Amino acid sequence: MRKIMFLASVVCWIACSDTEDEDKETMCPDSEDINKIEIVKEMLSATDSSFFASLLPLLERNRVIRLDSRDDLSVWLPDTLPVPEDLDFERYTYLLGSAELYSPSYYVKRDTLVEVGEHFEYLFDYFYSPADTSSVRLICGKYAKLPASCGVSLSVRSERGLGLIYTTNVLKSGLSTPELDMEDKEFALIRMIPDFLKYVTWPEAWDYTFFYTVDYSRYSVILWKYTVESGVGVKGFKVELVPLSPTLYRYEVTHEFYPSLIGEKTTAYMASVIDKVPDSVTIDYVFNEIKPW
């Protein structure tokens, strides 16, 4: 039985964020003064965004620094990397850092800088789908000049969502090809055995032992069908479960193959075992086909 594991690569995001560890800098001398400060975030230009993104390998994980002058930035930059001329340190304060997140597949719930007592705190809350790899998120923001003596702390809060456990071929007993009542590229969410029985006649349902081995108190199954021409060279499938909100996910299949002009069509069925899907959660489905030529 062939298994297709959920793979993800480390992704760098250009946005503001933090970490679960807090790193508090110098406090403001007067908390009443800071309450009078309006935090105004400005848009970074494409050039500045690209420049800050290039600094990601140089940044300490789970830490943010504030940049109030060219010296603040150039002191730790390589000599071969000049500071862009259009950075305006007279009117703006820049925040720069990075945070390591549990997964590259996540939904941002909160991403903002706030005033907390006598300092500023950057809050980054995210809702993620577990993966085999972590993700590095770039922190970079441009703000109307902040009080020079006020420090900035980092705070990241994470909430675990549904995860994809594994994906596998579906076969009948005796390793024969299934015959289920499904359209090509149709998806079905199986929360319990009765959901599966909608697609198979009785008593043939007993030939699909896979569905009777799943612990539905802990897991759900996403079943899907695809048809290809015989002789087509399949490079592989990429399967992802992406949270779009705490109650909405995207289940996305990317099928990369070499097309063929000859041969009969062959039908196959695949199934992904995922964490149990509550009734309050909806899953959207996407099937992508990629041909190298």
Side-chain angles (χ1 to χ4, degrees):
M1 180 178 292
R2 180 166 62 93
K3 295 184 178 179
I4 304 174
M5 301 301 294
F6 173 65
L7 303 177
S9 58
V10 175
V11 180
C12 298
W13 296 80
I14 302 177
C16 296
S17 81
D18 311 303
T19 90
E20 292 180 344
D21 295 327
E22 294 192 353
D23 178 21
K24 297 184 178 181
E25 303 291 345
T26 307
M27 298 300 182
C28 297
D30 189 341
S31 60
E32 294 183 358
D33 291 340
I34 193 172
N35 289 329
K36 301 175 184 178
I37 300 296
E38 181 183 4
I39 300 175
V40 180
K41 186 174 184 179
E42 304 286 347
M43 290 291 294
L44 282 166
S45 67
T47 300
D48 293 343
S49 294
S50 179
F51 168 73
F52 285 126
S54 70
L55 303 181
L56 185 61
L58 305 176
L59 300 175
E60 181 182 345
R61 293 289 184 268
N62 301 331
R63 177 176 169 78
V64 68
I65 58 175
R66 56 176 293 167
L67 305 171
D68 292 288
S69 68
R70 291 186 176 275
D71 290 341
D72 290 344
L73 181 57
S74 61
V75 68
W76 57 271
L77 283 183
D79 295 336
T80 56
L81 192 61
V83 178
E85 292 297 330
D86 61 344
L87 291 180
D88 186 353
F89 292 101
E90 293 295 326
R91 295 190 300 161
Y92 301 108
T93 296
Y94 298 86
L95 300 184
L96 180 62
S98 70
E100 187 168 9
L101 309 182
Y102 290 127
S103 169
S105 179
Y106 60 89
Y107 163 77
V108 178
K109 298 174 66 176
R110 181 165 58 172
D111 183 15
T112 186
L113 181 67
V114 298
E115 176 266 324
V116 179
E118 298 181 339
H119 69 286
F120 294 113
E121 185 172 20
Y122 205 99
L123 305 177
F124 181 73
D125 300 348
Y126 70 105
F127 183 87
Y128 71 96
S129 180
D132 293 334
T133 59
S134 61
S135 175
V136 177
R137 185 177 177 98
L138 180 69
I139 305 166
C140 69
K142 175 183 177 182
Y143 299 87
K145 204 67 177 178
L146 300 175
S149 58
C150 296
V152 180
S153 66
L154 305 178
S155 176
V156 163
R157 301 177 191 176
S158 62
E159 181 180 353
R160 185 190 188 281
L162 302 179
L164 189 151
I165 311 303
Y166 67 88
T167 301
T168 184
N169 289 103
V170 175
L171 297 173
K172 294 173 64 175
S173 298
L175 304 182
S176 58
T177 302
E179 296 179 4
L180 302 176
D181 186 16
M182 299 180 70
E183 299 294 329
D184 186 33
K185 300 179 181 65
E186 180 181 351
F187 296 84
L189 176 61
I190 312 298
R191 286 188 171 98
M192 298 293 290
I193 285 296
D195 296 326
F196 171 65
L197 296 181
K198 299 174 184 178
Y199 304 95
V200 63
T201 57
W202 191 264
E204 290 184 354
W206 289 111
D207 293 334
Y208 298 89
T209 56
F210 165 80
F211 293 95
Y212 295 91
T213 62
V214 176
D215 181 357
Y216 291 102
S217 66
R218 300 175 57 197
Y219 305 109
S220 297
V221 175
I222 295 177
L223 171 67
W224 46 281
K225 173 184 178 180
Y226 72 97
T227 301
V228 296
E229 295 179 353
S230 298
V232 169
V234 178
K235 292 190 65 177
F237 290 95
K238 180 181 179 181
V239 182
E240 296 179 285
L241 185 63
V242 182
L244 305 179
S245 79
T247 58
L248 177 63
Y249 289 77
R250 183 179 68 246
Y251 178 85
E252 186 167 359
V253 177
T254 301
H255 177 206
E256 188 171 358
F257 64 96
Y258 297 105
S260 173
L261 299 178
I262 60 174
E264 299 180 355
K265 290 186 177 180
T266 299
T267 298
Y269 296 84
M270 305 291 289
S272 290
V273 176
I274 65 175
D275 290 322
K276 185 172 181 60
V277 181
D279 293 338
S280 60
V281 170
T282 301
I283 299 179
D284 290 339
Y285 305 99
V286 177
F287 193 100
N288 303 312
E289 289 185 319
I290 299 178
K291 302 176 182 179
W293 62 81

